[in-house]
Amino acid sequence: MSDNHKYSGSLLDKSRRSLQVNCENCFGLCCVALSFAASADFAIDKDAGQPCPNLQSDFRCGVHKNLRQRGFRGCTVYDCFGAGQKVSQITFGGLDWRKAPETAKQMFEVFPIMRQLHELLWYLTEALTLKPAHSIHGELSSALDETERLTRLSPDSLVELDMTAHWADVNALLLQTSELVRAEVLRQQKGPGGRKKTYGRGADLIGANLRKADLKGANLRGAYLIAADLRGADLRGADLIGADFRDADLRGADLTESIFLTQAQLNAAKGDSNTNLPPSLTRPTHWSTLGA
Ligand code: SF4
């Protein structure tokens, strides 16, 4: 069956590429706009709007090569979905907050809003590639158009945006997508009426032993998988949106057809060369130094 939406595979690839971080075209926004609390992830406290002391005058990080060793693990996990370059180059037209300090406050307010919009673009772009969801591709395509339109609003309009309402609208579509995809996975696995694996939103699986678990088609939306043992687990077709993978052990796990996984989730987890990833994501560089 053909999909009745305007996004071809190459357009979706292009959309996805635009959601990849491009620090070269960003004014170091994540290093200024966000607040940090001193913890295992950040070596220092920093208020929102205050530049990190490691941020150089050219908006590059002075400790980029040694972030983990210097206590800035959180910086290696964070992913802005390309919101930094959009705010810097489109919303504020390439004029940075050092040259135009009068724009700084608003630029730093817009950045987290843009990040949420770009995160939704990431999920919607993926949803449009999922064949079991073809019956709602028209609605997904409209939601993608609308979200892209919102990213091009003026700074004044962006700070006034009702993100909660827009997020809820898009999330309802993503939930439908998830149900269609997981139903198909389970149908293939067990035939019609096959076993349902539902943990429910925010399932507490902290430190759980899920080694070699069959989690195909599981609903792990928002699950707390912090430090869970997922070595060798089969997560194909599982919905992983918002799941907390901090220090989860994904060595040898199969994530190839999992849905709504992000680079930040992978960056927060442990893995190795035997972890199978979805093609849109890259193997975190620090995985090779974890000493499996
Ligand atoms: S340590 Fe580097 S990457 Fe992290 S906030 Fe500071 S300048 Fe940015």
Side-chain angles (χ1 to χ4, degrees):
M1 188 180 295
S2 65
D3 288 330
N4 59 344
H5 67 87
K6 68 180 188 184
Y7 288 99
S8 63
S10 59
L11 262 181
L12 291 172
D13 286 346
K14 191 174 164 207
S15 171
R16 196 170 254 163
R17 278 197 301 278
S18 75
L19 302 174
Q20 283 166 353
V21 171
N22 180 352
C23 300
E24 304 273 306
N25 286 315
C26 175
F27 302 143
L29 295 182
C30 63
C31 310
V32 189
L34 308 180
S35 62
F36 307 156
S39 62
D41 285 333
F42 296 105
I44 55 168
D45 283 317
K46 186 188 88 56
D47 291 333
Q50 178 194 335
C52 171
N54 296 320
L55 186 66
Q56 302 177 147
S57 57
D58 60 358
F59 302 115
R60 300 283 185 278
C61 172
V63 295
H64 178 70
K65 290 195 175 126
N66 302 300
L67 282 165
R68 290 197 160 230
Q69 298 88 320
R70 300 284 287 264
F72 289 90
R73 187 176 71 154
C75 302
T76 67
V77 170
Y78 185 79
D79 186 333
C80 75
F81 296 96
Q85 67 256 26
K86 177 75 79 65
V87 172
S88 300
Q89 303 302 331
I90 308 290
T91 317
F92 286 85
L95 190 59
D96 73 66
W97 50 270
R98 283 199 172 112
K99 288 198 193 92
E102 69 282 4
T103 64
K105 182 170 177 293
Q106 194 173 47
M107 193 182 294
F108 303 153
E109 282 171 10
V110 164
F111 174 64
I113 297 166
M114 188 68 79
R115 186 189 181 276
Q116 288 186 71
L117 290 169
H118 271 222
E119 184 173 356
L120 290 178
L121 289 175
W122 175 267
Y123 298 138
L124 287 165
T125 301
E126 177 177 352
L128 282 164
T129 68
L130 300 171
K131 288 200 168 58
H134 65 79
S135 60
I136 60 166
H137 276 181
E139 291 163 78
L140 289 164
S141 173
S142 299
L144 183 61
D145 287 344
E146 173 61 6
T147 307
E148 180 62 40
R149 185 188 71 79
L150 295 178
T151 69
R152 294 182 182 274
L153 290 175
S154 68
D156 286 347
S157 300
L158 279 162
V159 294
E160 294 295 321
L161 198 60
D162 184 350
M163 249 338 279
T164 306
H166 185 64
W167 190 281
D169 289 346
V170 173
N171 190 47
L173 280 175
L174 298 176
L175 193 50
Q176 280 184 61
T177 305
S178 168
E179 284 166 359
L180 289 164
V181 170
R182 290 185 297 105
E184 179 61 25
V185 171
L186 293 170
R187 196 161 30 245
Q188 285 175 9
Q189 188 177 7
K190 287 277 172 188
R195 174 170 50 111
K196 271 269 177 199
K197 292 168 182 161
T198 302
Y199 289 96
R201 178 147 191 89
D204 182 355
L205 294 165
I206 297 173
N209 181 2
L210 295 166
R211 191 169 185 183
K212 296 193 173 168
D214 177 2
L215 295 166
K216 280 203 290 291
N219 178 4
L220 291 166
R221 291 173 73 87
Y224 292 95
L225 287 155
I226 300 164
D229 185 352
L230 285 156
R231 283 176 290 173
D234 188 347
L235 288 147
R236 288 174 293 166
D239 182 352
L240 303 178
I241 198 167
D244 191 336
F245 279 102
R246 278 176 290 168
D247 291 325
D249 195 338
L250 290 169
R251 284 177 288 170
D254 192 349
L255 296 146
T256 43
E257 290 162 16
S258 62
I259 60 171
F260 304 140
L261 184 65
T262 66
Q263 192 64 46
Q265 286 169 298
L266 274 188
N267 293 349
K270 299 174 187 169
D272 63 10
S273 57
N274 294 317
T275 308
N276 292 319
L277 306 179
S280 56
L281 300 176
T282 56
R283 198 170 304 279
T285 50
H286 60 266
W287 280 10
S288 57
T289 59
L290 288 173

